[in-house]
């Protein structure tokens, strides 16, 4: 089948060493994922704490205390105010990503990271000190602005700093930081839930300041990328930086391609208008469909509400929080699988395997919940069934963590030409945040009304997205970021959109051949 072929593009291997300098800068930049991960993990745990619910969401607390056995298990947490607490962050991140796009283009990637860290820090202080729901939600909005800035700038920074042959692994440092943030949040929730005096939730929310401080301090000391320096007219600084990160004085070929891309970028006055041109059609479609599909894997249902979900299917308070810690551990360790394989087996193979594994797990979880609770949502689950559900959710999380999790950020950040890169990444982040918001806002109501069918609902999307990757995404491993158009040109479907003048870098190869 045409769609199933992995395309080998005519691209340049610039060489260069894997320097300690580039490893350290990428490691520091990737900590931007900590703030996003910590927030993903913390909200579900806090909203399953009785003392937090009693103070801010008494109607939910009252339903949780109903042990008559007549309450629909699927509907205990169905509260629009409660979901607004969780989802307000993501609508703020969506709006902020557009402002971050302008900041990233005009002032550079590191300024965006710095701004994101500072704003997130203020939001975490406000949440930790919250006296009412208004303060909680205002704090969440500030956290969202910080997340929007970080998610806009960090993946682009990583893709631009890394050499092509290591770009996948280094970019996935961002996803690894997200998983570490989620795990840290789950551990904090587990510990703070045991604090006497009823203020454990404040500790959980206020500790978001820790990853924000790490990111803010890191951003102060980070250098800017050669691409960003060129974009802002600092040609000599860009060349010096390229030599430093490649550990090699002979960077002329790569630097010439960067200059070409930069010159093309400077001719584009309106990147938002230009991204709609047919020549950018494949990148535009991918920047919309990949983050859309990433959210409709259903992963954030697990990550936001893991303790709530485990509580719903019969785990007690402590057991629910511990189960969330277990899935957090699986999420983190499975990400290492992706880091170790993405630049060898490629993006497509991980996408396809992960999709198949997630689909199988979702169908089985749906079947078990359907058998135990039925459509009425009344019933109980044996220990063996609960542990089986936990195992299947862990297998699902692992599949996501080595496929759609990291690749959902990596692939969109590496496919855009420089002239539309900031706009493209803003679309990627905003689509991601919009559908994260939709899922966060709708999940508890969907669980209440769709019951176990919710897992079949997300499973259907996983099937569609796996087919989409099979037919429409070419392999991008080891392709220099400025030569990505070459693989689109060779693709069975996208080739017709890419004009000949969009091909960069191959001229060096032809010059070498003619010299001989």
């Amino acid at each position: 089948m045409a769609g199933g072929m992995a395309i080998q593009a005519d691209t340049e291997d610039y060489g260069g060493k894997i320097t300690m300098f580039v490893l350290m800068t990428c490691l520091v930049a990737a900590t931007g994922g900590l703030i996003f991960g910590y927030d993903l993990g913390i909200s579900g745990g806090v909203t399953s704490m009785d003392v937090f619910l009693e103070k801010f969401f008494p109607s939910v607390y009252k339903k949780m205390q109903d042990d008559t056995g007549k309450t629909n298990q699927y509907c205990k947490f169905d509260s629009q105010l409660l979901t607004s607490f969780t989802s307000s962050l993501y609508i703020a991140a969506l709006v902020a990503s557009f402002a971050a796009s302008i900041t990233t283009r005009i002032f550079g990637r590191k300024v965006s990271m710095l701004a994101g860290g500072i704003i997130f820090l203020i939001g975490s202080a406000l949440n930790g000190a919250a006296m009412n729901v208004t303060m909680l939600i205002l704090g969440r909005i500030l956290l969202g602005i910080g997340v929007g800035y970080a998610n806009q700038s960090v993946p682009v920074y990583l893709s631009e700093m890394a050499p092509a042959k290591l770009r996948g692994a280094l970019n996935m440092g961002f996803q690894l930081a997200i998983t570490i943030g989620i795990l840290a949040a789950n551990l904090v929730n587990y510990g703070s839930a045991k604090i006497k005096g009823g203020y454990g939730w404040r500790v959980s929310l206020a500790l978001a300041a820790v990853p924000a401080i790490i990111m803010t301090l890191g951003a102060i000391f980070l250098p800017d990328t050669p691409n960003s320096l060129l974009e802002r007219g600092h040609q000599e600084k860009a060349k010096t930086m390229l030599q430093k990160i490649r550990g090699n004085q002979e960077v002329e070929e790569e630097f010439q391609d960067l200059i070409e891309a930069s010159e093309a970028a400077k001719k584009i006055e309106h990147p938002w208008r230009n991204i709609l041109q047919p020549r950018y059609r494949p990148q535009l479609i991918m920047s919309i469909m990949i983050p859309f599909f990433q959210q409709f894997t259903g992963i954030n249902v697990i990550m936001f509400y893991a303790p709530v979900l485990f509580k719903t299917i019969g785990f007690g308070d402590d057991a629910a929080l511990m189960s969330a810690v277990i899935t957090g551990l699986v999420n983190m360790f499975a990400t290492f699988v992706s880091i170790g394989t993405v630049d060898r087996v490629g993006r497509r193979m991980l996408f396809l395997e992960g999709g198949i594994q997630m689909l199988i797990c979702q169908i089985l979880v749906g079947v078990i919940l359907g058998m135990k609770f039925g459509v009425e949502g009344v019933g109980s689950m044996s220990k063996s069934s609960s542990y089986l559900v936990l195992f299947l959710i862990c297998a699902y999380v692992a599949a996501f963590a080595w496929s759609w999790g990291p690749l959902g950020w990596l692939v969109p950040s590496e496919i855009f030409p420089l002239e539309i890169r900031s706009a493209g990444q803003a679309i990627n982040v905003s689509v991601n945040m919009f559908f994260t918001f939709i899922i966060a806002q709708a999940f508890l109501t969907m669980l209440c009304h769709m019951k176990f069918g919710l897992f079949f609902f997300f499973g259907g999307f996983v099937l569609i997205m796996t087919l989409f990757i099979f037919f429409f995404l070419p392999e991008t491993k080891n392709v220099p970021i400025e030569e990505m158009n070459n693989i689109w040109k060779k693709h069975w479907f996208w080739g017709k959109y890419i004009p000949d003048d969009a091909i960069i870098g191959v001229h060096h190869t032809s010059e070498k051949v003619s010299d001989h």
Side-chain angles (χ1 to χ4, degrees):
M1 282 185 206
M5 292 164 52
I7 296 164
Q8 185 61 47
D10 297 323
T11 55
E12 200 81 60
D13 179 6
Y14 298 120
K17 304 170 191 169
I18 310 303
T19 62
M20 185 54 66
F21 179 75
V22 80
L23 285 174
M24 290 308 296
T25 53
C26 286
L27 190 65
V28 171
T31 58
L34 284 174
I35 66 173
F36 189 32
Y38 188 86
D39 188 81
L40 280 173
I42 211 71
S43 48
V46 166
T47 53
S48 72
M49 292 181 190
D50 286 348
V51 67
F52 179 80
L53 292 173
E54 189 177 11
K55 181 174 178 63
F56 295 107
F57 307 98
S59 63
V60 177
Y61 176 73
K62 191 176 174 184
K63 278 193 274 186
M64 286 306 302
Q65 298 310 302
D66 184 349
D67 55 4
T68 61
K70 295 178 182 176
T71 305
N72 189 324
Q73 292 294 314
Y74 295 117
C75 297
K76 282 189 171 184
F77 286 88
D78 185 16
S79 160
Q80 284 305 304
L81 190 60
L82 180 60
T83 48
S84 295
F85 161 70
T86 301
S87 60
S88 55
L89 181 146
Y90 303 100
I91 204 73
L94 186 162
V95 175
S97 65
F98 291 101
S101 156
I102 297 165
T103 308
T104 302
R105 191 174 74 249
I106 296 174
F107 300 107
R109 285 58 168 150
K110 66 173 281 179
V111 171
S112 266
M113 286 186 246
L114 188 61
I118 292 168
I119 296 167
F120 194 93
L121 194 57
I122 297 167
S124 60
L126 199 58
N127 264 356
M131 301 305 293
N132 51 49
V133 174
T134 305
M135 277 183 78
L136 268 184
I137 292 178
L138 183 58
R140 293 284 292 175
I141 288 169
L142 289 173
L143 294 179
I145 295 170
V147 165
Y149 267 82
N151 287 6
Q152 155 72 25
S153 51
V154 173
V156 169
Y157 184 95
L158 292 169
S159 287
E160 290 181 346
M161 288 296 269
K165 59 188 172 188
L166 205 65
R167 188 175 61 245
L170 288 178
N171 193 290
M172 281 183 181
F174 180 66
Q175 177 66 19
L176 179 62
I178 290 176
T179 65
I180 292 169
I182 291 169
L183 176 61
N186 288 336
L187 288 167
V188 167
N189 280 334
Y190 186 71
S192 65
K194 298 180 180 303
I195 293 175
K196 306 292 183 198
Y199 63 88
W201 62 270
R202 289 193 187 278
V203 174
S204 289
L205 293 177
L207 281 176
V210 175
I213 289 168
I214 293 170
M215 178 181 158
T216 305
L217 290 176
I220 291 170
F221 296 106
L222 283 177
D224 234 329
T225 69
N227 311 63
S228 179
L229 289 166
L230 270 176
E231 196 173 29
R232 290 177 289 135
H234 305 300
Q235 193 160 321
E236 282 308 308
K237 282 185 183 176
K239 187 170 185 180
T240 304
M241 182 55 63
L242 188 62
Q243 289 168 335
K244 193 171 183 181
I245 63 178
R246 297 293 178 256
N248 191 344
Q249 294 301 302
E250 303 302 317
V251 293
E252 206 53 49
E253 288 184 19
E254 184 174 4
F255 189 60
Q256 276 307 121
D257 283 348
L258 289 180
I259 288 175
E260 277 186 46
S262 180
E263 291 304 316
K266 284 173 184 169
K267 293 174 187 171
I268 306 295
E269 290 180 23
H270 306 287
W272 288 101
R273 194 183 304 160
N274 280 77
I275 202 169
L276 300 175
Q277 290 179 8
R279 66 191 293 148
Y280 303 122
R281 190 64 40 82
Q283 295 96 327
L284 178 63
I285 296 298
M286 290 298 161
S287 72
I288 293 169
M289 298 309 295
I290 288 177
F292 167 78
F293 281 141
Q294 188 194 51
Q295 294 315 307
F296 276 83
T297 57
I299 188 63
N300 281 340
V301 168
I302 305 297
M303 289 309 165
F304 289 155
Y305 300 112
V308 172
L309 189 63
F310 288 127
K311 220 169 174 181
T312 297
I313 62 176
F315 290 84
D317 291 9
D318 273 6
L321 287 169
M322 181 46 73
S323 300
V325 170
I326 292 167
T327 56
L329 278 166
V330 170
N331 190 24
M332 186 183 78
F333 284 113
T335 304
F336 283 106
V337 175
S338 197
I339 289 171
T341 57
V342 67
D343 289 314
R344 285 184 292 153
V345 304
R347 283 64 160 153
R348 279 170 53 84
M349 181 64 76
L350 289 172
F351 264 133
L352 297 174
E353 190 284 331
I356 293 166
Q357 187 171 321
M358 283 192 290
L359 178 60
I360 292 168
C361 293
Q362 282 166 313
I363 290 170
L364 290 175
V365 170
V367 167
I368 293 167
L369 291 184
M371 289 168 63
K372 297 296 178 183
F373 293 121
V375 292
E376 298 300 321
V378 177
S380 61
M381 195 175 269
S382 66
K383 265 194 172 178
S384 59
S385 295
S386 294
Y387 287 131
L388 178 57
V389 168
L390 177 59
F391 170 77
L392 289 169
I393 285 177
C394 285
Y396 162 84
V397 168
F400 177 86
W402 62 56
S403 63
W404 280 90
L407 296 173
W409 293 107
L410 167 62
V411 173
S413 75
E414 69 183 357
I415 60 175
F416 286 105
L418 184 63
E419 65 266 23
I420 56 163
R421 193 167 297 153
S422 293
Q425 184 65 5
I427 291 171
N428 178 41
V429 173
S430 59
V431 170
N432 191 300
M433 291 300 132
F434 177 71
F435 286 104
T436 304
F437 166 76
I438 295 294
I439 296 292
Q441 190 67 28
F443 165 65
L444 293 173
T445 301
M446 288 168 75
L447 180 63
C448 182
H449 291 89
M450 296 175 73
K451 285 90 177 176
F452 60 88
L454 187 64
F455 289 90
F456 300 138
F457 171 80
F458 287 121
F461 276 102
V462 171
L463 176 62
I464 294 166
M465 66 183 72
T466 303
L467 292 171
F468 175 81
I469 291 297
F470 182 78
F471 286 108
F472 296 108
L473 183 70
E475 183 53 68
T476 57
K477 71 168 182 175
N478 298 334
V479 179
I481 196 168
E482 304 309 333
E483 297 185 17
M484 207 58 74
N485 269 333
N486 303 5
I487 62 165
W488 299 113
K489 184 67 176 172
K490 282 178 165 269
H491 190 268
W492 71 275
F493 181 79
W494 301 119
K496 61 180 177 281
Y497 292 103
I498 309 298
D500 292 337
D501 65 2
I503 307 301
I504 288 179
V506 187
H507 61 279
H508 293 307
T509 310
S510 57
E511 283 166 13
K512 284 179 196 167
V513 172
S514 62
D515 287 344
H516 295 293

